Amino acid sequence: MAQKTQPAVNISFADKFIAFIDVLGFKNMVEAAESNDDKLLREVLASLKTSGSVDARNRYEQYGPTVCPESLRIQRNLDFRATHVSDCVIVSAEISPAGVINLLHHCWVLVLSLMRYGVMCRGYVTRGQIFHLDAEFYGTGYQRAYAGESGVGVFKRSADERGTPFVEVDSAVSEYVEHCGDKCSQEIFRRFTRRDGDLVALFPFQTLQHTFVIGDFWGRKFDRESERQSNRNVRKWIADMKERVLALVDATNPSAVSKAEHYVRALDAQLAICDSTEAFLLSMIQR
């Protein structure tokens, strides 16, 4: 009996926003798993598979955009695609204010989820031509995102430092947001990113802090001791994250140590904010 052949897929390229994100230190996780210590590898793969599954596209199909839902879009599902391959995730979305900010949010969530385990990642977000269909992806836009990941230089501390552990945002993307005229995507973009001269990167560290409102808010009165406890919880979460980052670093590898120092400095800055918050709350109690 003749074997049935699958119909050829029509490869149609489209101008889209494209992100390529790579997990750093994945080789060491695999080696540890081969030595019967697979806990971290399983946790990281779970995050990657969640990020690179069809579930996000299906949610957009059903509910539309989750971030800036009123922003301009072309398709309800934002032509959103996410693919997980080994230690990488490739994401693409249509050229629209809703498309760019939901793609960046998707990447931002992945970076933050990996940070919980002390795992660093690096990536590049750009704009260009791509054919992206589930597990298939081709195009010069994808190639640009792939090539950009290894050369990330945002927040570098010396002229020859290369491959800093951040998800850099191409100027073609940041300029689109700047000039798109959509206030929601522009505001969220400012919250998600940090600028380093002419370069921009996703920066989830700045969200790691406890915020509170003094007074009666939504029927809930301000409780200073409760706020202090919440602040201490956030502080412990950050301190644990920092400890995990340091625990995974190969101290004999100068490049790995240098990358970890970026995360440690950013986490230390958030710990300092927690300390300032605690001091402020204590000063209120002592009045």
Side-chain angles (χ1 to χ4, degrees):
M1 181 182 292
Q3 205 172 32
K4 289 185 178 180
T5 58
Q6 295 291 330
V9 175
N10 181 28
I11 300 178
S12 177
F13 294 93
D15 183 20
K16 299 179 73 176
F17 294 114
I18 306 157
F20 180 87
I21 299 180
D22 178 47
V23 172
L24 301 179
F26 193 76
K27 177 184 175 183
N28 293 339
M29 296 177 212
V30 172
E31 290 175 350
E34 290 177 352
S35 302
N36 298 318
D37 183 11
D38 66 347
K39 185 175 184 295
L40 179 60
L41 180 63
R42 285 188 286 107
E43 289 171 334
V44 170
L45 286 175
S47 292
L48 292 173
K49 288 175 181 176
T50 296
S51 183
S53 75
V54 298
D55 292 345
R57 180 180 175 88
N58 292 339
R59 284 194 297 272
Y60 291 133
E61 291 273 12
Q62 186 172 0
Y63 304 110
T66 53
V67 180
C68 296
E70 303 302 320
S71 294
L72 184 67
R73 64 177 187 265
I74 300 170
Q75 300 181 49
R76 180 181 176 84
N77 63 19
L78 306 178
D79 195 16
F80 189 93
R81 300 280 181 181
T83 304
H84 163 227
V85 180
S86 185
D87 60 343
C88 307
V89 172
I90 300 92
V91 190
S92 69
E94 68 178 28
I95 304 299
S96 71
V100 67
I101 205 61
N102 280 273
L103 176 140
L104 291 172
H105 175 260
H106 190 85
C107 298
W108 186 90
V109 168
L110 174 59
V111 173
L112 190 57
S113 69
L114 293 172
M115 279 173 55
R116 291 182 302 165
Y117 307 116
V119 173
M120 298 180 290
C121 64
R122 184 174 60 220
Y124 199 78
V125 184
T126 189
R127 175 179 178 171
Q129 294 290 317
I130 189 172
F131 168 77
H132 193 180
L133 181 65
D134 299 328
E136 293 186 72
F137 43 89
Y138 322 103
T140 53
Y142 161 70
Q143 292 166 359
R144 191 178 307 121
Y146 175 79
E149 177 269 326
S150 61
V152 168
V154 65
F155 305 125
K156 66 181 182 181
R157 293 168 296 171
S158 62
D160 60 346
E161 186 176 9
R162 183 171 174 271
T164 53
F166 300 97
V167 177
E168 191 171 315
V169 180
D170 191 342
S171 60
V173 180
S174 58
E175 288 174 8
Y176 174 87
V177 176
E178 182 182 350
H179 297 109
C180 72
D182 183 78
K183 291 184 179 180
C184 181
S185 60
Q186 290 169 339
E187 174 59 29
I188 298 298
F189 185 80
R190 284 191 289 269
R191 295 182 195 176
F192 283 177
T193 61
R194 177 168 288 185
R195 185 171 288 277
D196 176 30
D198 293 332
L199 303 179
V200 180
L202 293 181
F203 203 80
F205 302 94
Q206 57 201 17
T207 64
L208 303 177
Q209 56 183 282
H210 174 58
T211 58
F212 55 90
V213 177
I214 299 174
D216 194 335
F217 188 64
W218 287 345
R220 177 178 174 269
K221 291 187 176 181
F222 175 72
D223 183 330
R224 286 169 290 197
E225 286 307 309
S226 175
E227 300 299 345
R228 287 185 66 203
Q229 183 58 54
S230 295
N231 184 56
R232 286 195 292 267
N233 291 342
V234 172
R235 195 186 198 292
K236 184 179 186 308
W237 187 40
I238 298 171
D240 289 346
M241 209 178 293
K242 175 182 171 182
E243 186 177 328
R244 293 186 189 112
V245 169
L246 292 171
L248 292 176
V249 176
D250 179 0
T252 65
N253 184 336
S255 177
V257 171
S258 177
K259 289 177 175 61
E261 286 173 351
H262 281 284
Y263 268 45
V264 168
R265 288 175 64 196
L267 292 170
D268 278 342
Q270 298 309 121
L271 288 172
I273 292 174
C274 289
D275 292 343
S276 296
T277 301
E278 173 71 4
F280 174 75
L281 290 169
L282 277 173
S283 70
M284 293 180 65
I285 292 171
Q286 291 169 353
R287 287 174 184 170

